[in-house]
């Protein structure tokens, strides 16, 4: 297979993993922030 | 008197074709109102740079030497040397975005990530078409559905196709109301589109709104340092909006700064629309690949929502997943309209807005990740 295609598949794996990792960490942080800063009724 | 006809005798058919392309961009901007703030300056710029011996480009004059042209200079200073223009635009975009709908339902963040799949799928297709990896990555980033990110990434990766990429990115962003319904209907059923979602937003404190841009910047910076310029400027703009003590600056960033930079960016990008570079079969391929990127993005978001539905008790309308692209707010409006078409009581707007602003964050992270990873693969 063309080396460029192999590289693009590598890029897809690493890129999507990195994006999901950042987004999941942001998701967890937002949940923590919402919990810590929620106004008690 | 030969100099009077020099311009006419040196003209090439490629330059005339570029005038026609410039004219089409101006027509689309004025008659169809497709992204007029950008397509109009780009169209006019395409004419300016394709006039023989154009004074807006750097010229070598006999007996004088090199004379700088304004458009070449704007390109060198505003884009080539520091990517200043697209980055400054992000301050304005950040100031325009209300992350409230996303913060009140944070799980929508996942759709922004999923919809970036189109970028990578398109990179693979471009590689199959024998584009080198840096050009393939620059073409794929059209799928970020974010003009400034496309320009910045293609410039940092030194792609030869920055002009066609910018034209494709902005044209397809304007065509989201046509592209997305088509792509959504391919991968969803009528039953999927009728799924109703309850809207029970969590209350979002002022402190969360203030902390959000800072926390996102730090997280993105630590995990994907190459994304920090993009994410940081976007979040800086949002902090100006949310802080509440810089109303005048926030309004300036949202209106005057965005308008001014967009105007300059459009005419500056035309530096990459010179006939000898622009007129090629690859330009047509890039336009096709750009369209594919938007379709892949939309389908990836919708299919990801369908996948999550396998495990969820309260189902998500797959069209909300499709809104995880960066084209804000067009995509959310499209989803709201399609939801109402499927069922007149199906209001999806707030969910779609949340996914849509998540797409804005994820697309700049994707841009940074690509800038960080591609040099290692070259």
């Amino acid at each position: 297979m063309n080396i460029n295609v192999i590289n693009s598949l590598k890029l897809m794996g690493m890129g999507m993993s990195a994006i999901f990792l950042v987004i999941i960490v942001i998701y967890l942080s937002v949940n923590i922030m919402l919990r810590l800063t929620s106004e008690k009724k | 008197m030969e100099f009077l006809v020099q311009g006419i005798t040196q003209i090439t058919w490629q330059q005339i074709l570029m005038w026609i392309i410039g004219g089409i961009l101006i027509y689309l901007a004025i008659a169809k109102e497709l992204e007029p703030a950008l397509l109009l300056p780009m169209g006019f710029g395409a004419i300016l740079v394709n006039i023989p011996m154009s004074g807006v480009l750097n010229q070598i004059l006999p007996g004088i030497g090199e004379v700088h042209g304004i458009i070449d200079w704007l390109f060198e200073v505003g884009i080539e040397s520091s990517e200043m223009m697209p980055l400054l635009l992000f301050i304005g975009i950040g100031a325009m975005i209300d992350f409230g709908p996303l913060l009140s339902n944070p799980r929508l963040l996942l759709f922004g990530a999923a919809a970036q799949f189109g970028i990578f799928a398109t990179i693979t297709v471009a590689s199959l078409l024998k584009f080198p990896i840096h050009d393939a990555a620059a073409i794929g980033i059209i799928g970020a559905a974010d003009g400034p990110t496309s320009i910045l990434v293609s410039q940092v990766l030194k792609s030869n196709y920055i002009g066609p990429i910018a034209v494709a990115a902005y044209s397809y962003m304007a065509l989201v109301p046509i592209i997305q319904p088509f792509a959504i209907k391919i991968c969803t059923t009528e039953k999927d589109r009728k799924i109703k979602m309850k809207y029970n937003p969590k209350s979002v404190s002022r402190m969360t709104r203030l902390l959000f841009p800072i926390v996102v910047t730090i997280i993105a910076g630590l995990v994907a340092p190459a994304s920090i310029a993009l994410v940081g400027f976007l979040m800086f703009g949002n902090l100006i909006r949310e802080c509440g003590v810089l109303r005048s600056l926030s309004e300036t960033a949202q209106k005057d700064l965005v308008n001014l930079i967009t105007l300059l960016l459009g005419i500056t990008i035309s530096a990459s629309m010179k006939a000898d570079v622009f007129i090629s079969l690859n330009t047509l391929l890039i336009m096709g690949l750009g369209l594919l990127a938007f379709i892949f993005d939309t389908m990836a978001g919708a299919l990801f929502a369908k996948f999550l539905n396998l495990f969820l008790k309260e189902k998500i309308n797959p069209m909300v997943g499709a809104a995880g692209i960066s084209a804000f707010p067009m995509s959310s409006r499209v989803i709201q309209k399609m939801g109402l078409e499927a069922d007149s009581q199906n209001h999806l707007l707030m969910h779609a807005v949340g996914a849509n602003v998540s797409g804005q964050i994820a697309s700049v992270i994707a841009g940074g990740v690509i800038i960080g990873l591609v040099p290692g693969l070259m």
Side-chain angles (χ1 to χ4, degrees):
Chain A
M1 203 191 284
N2 181 339
I3 185 78
N4 265 344
V5 179
I6 295 168
N7 280 339
S8 65
L9 291 172
K10 268 190 208 167
L11 184 64
M12 183 189 284
M14 291 190 288
M16 285 307 289
S17 310
I19 294 167
F20 265 103
L21 176 67
V22 176
I23 289 292
I24 288 169
V25 177
I26 293 173
Y27 169 75
L28 296 174
S29 311
V30 169
N31 275 308
I32 294 168
M33 281 191 289
L34 287 171
R35 197 160 289 184
L36 292 179
T37 63
S38 67
E39 286 146 21
K40 286 176 187 148
K41 288 173 188 170
Chain B
M1 298 295 277
E2 242 178 60
F3 73 95
L4 286 176
V5 288
Q6 239 180 350
I8 299 166
T9 54
Q10 289 192 17
I11 202 159
T12 62
W13 68 267
Q14 288 94 338
Q15 287 171 323
I16 295 173
L17 185 56
M18 286 309 297
W19 296 354
I20 296 168
I21 291 171
I24 292 171
L25 293 179
I26 293 171
Y27 167 78
L28 291 174
I30 297 172
K32 303 288 177 190
E33 290 189 35
L34 295 180
E35 294 282 335
L38 216 103
L39 291 191
L40 192 138
M42 274 169 85
F44 195 74
I47 297 171
L48 277 179
V49 300
N50 285 294
I51 287 175
M53 301 174 294
S54 173
V56 298
L57 302 174
N58 294 346
Q59 300 284 330
I60 306 280
L61 296 182
I64 294 173
E66 191 177 11
V67 177
H68 289 284
I70 180 70
I71 289 188
D72 268 341
W73 180 81
L74 280 171
F75 191 84
E76 284 160 24
V77 174
I79 296 183
E80 205 170 35
S81 63
S82 60
E83 293 83 36
M84 174 190 73
M85 284 187 198
L87 285 174
L88 287 182
L89 197 51
F90 272 113
I91 297 179
I93 295 170
M96 281 195 262
I97 296 178
D98 175 8
F99 285 114
L102 177 65
L103 292 171
S104 63
N105 189 3
R107 72 176 178 171
L108 293 172
L109 271 163
L110 295 172
F111 297 117
Q116 306 311 312
F117 178 77
I119 297 174
F120 298 98
T122 307
I123 293 173
T124 306
V125 177
S127 296
L128 282 168
L129 292 171
K130 308 240 184 292
F131 281 98
I133 189 75
H134 70 289
D135 281 329
I139 295 165
I141 202 73
I142 297 171
D146 188 337
T149 303
S150 303
I151 293 169
L152 188 139
V153 172
S154 51
Q155 177 55 37
V156 173
L157 296 180
K158 304 272 179 248
S159 169
N160 298 317
Y161 304 110
I162 182 168
I165 287 168
V167 172
Y170 279 102
S171 307
Y172 293 137
M173 269 166 62
L175 293 175
V176 158
I178 297 166
I179 299 168
Q180 282 216 299
F182 164 76
I184 288 170
K185 283 177 183 169
I186 291 175
C187 60
T188 60
T189 62
E190 185 74 25
K191 195 180 160 200
D192 289 332
R193 296 194 287 274
K194 281 185 175 168
I195 295 175
K196 286 184 186 166
M197 292 171 69
K198 285 182 195 156
Y199 185 58
N200 298 320
K202 291 178 187 167
S203 69
V204 181
S205 65
R206 180 171 144 72
M207 182 58 81
T208 302
R209 283 175 176 270
L210 284 172
L211 285 175
F212 182 70
I214 301 168
V215 169
V216 169
T217 305
I218 293 172
I219 294 170
L222 289 176
V223 182
S227 70
I228 196 70
L230 287 159
V231 179
F233 275 56
L234 181 77
M235 291 300 153
F236 172 56
N238 190 251
L239 186 60
I240 291 176
R241 173 198 175 96
E242 297 296 346
C243 72
V245 292
L246 293 172
R247 285 205 179 85
S248 168
L249 281 192
S250 171
E251 278 170 24
T252 304
Q254 290 178 45
K255 293 174 188 160
D256 301 339
L257 179 72
V258 165
N259 284 340
L260 194 61
I261 297 287
T262 304
L263 185 145
L264 285 174
L265 190 61
I267 203 138
T268 304
I269 282 298
S270 65
S272 57
M273 293 176 76
K274 293 163 198 157
D276 52 338
V277 185
F278 198 91
I279 308 261
S280 72
L281 179 64
N282 284 345
T283 298
L284 285 178
L285 279 177
I286 290 166
M287 296 304 286
L289 287 167
L291 178 60
L292 209 58
F294 271 65
I295 293 173
F296 282 155
D297 276 348
T298 304
M299 290 176 72
L303 291 173
F304 183 68
K306 285 179 84 158
F307 172 72
L308 289 184
N309 280 346
L310 296 175
F311 312 98
L312 294 173
K313 213 160 83 180
E314 278 190 24
K315 305 290 180 202
I316 296 166
N317 189 311
M319 293 195 294
V320 170
I325 66 168
S326 174
F328 179 81
M330 266 119 54
S331 186
S332 2
R333 286 187 194 144
V334 168
I335 303 310
Q336 163 75 350
K337 194 169 162 241
M338 288 185 76
L340 290 174
E341 276 169 12
D343 178 335
S344 60
Q345 296 302 310
N346 197 6
H347 295 278
L348 298 170
L349 186 65
M350 292 316 285
H351 301 287
V353 167
N356 211 177
V357 295
S358 160
Q360 182 73 61
I361 299 174
S363 72
V364 290
I365 294 171
V369 164
I370 286 175
I371 290 171
L373 290 176
V374 168
L377 297 170
M378 282 163 76

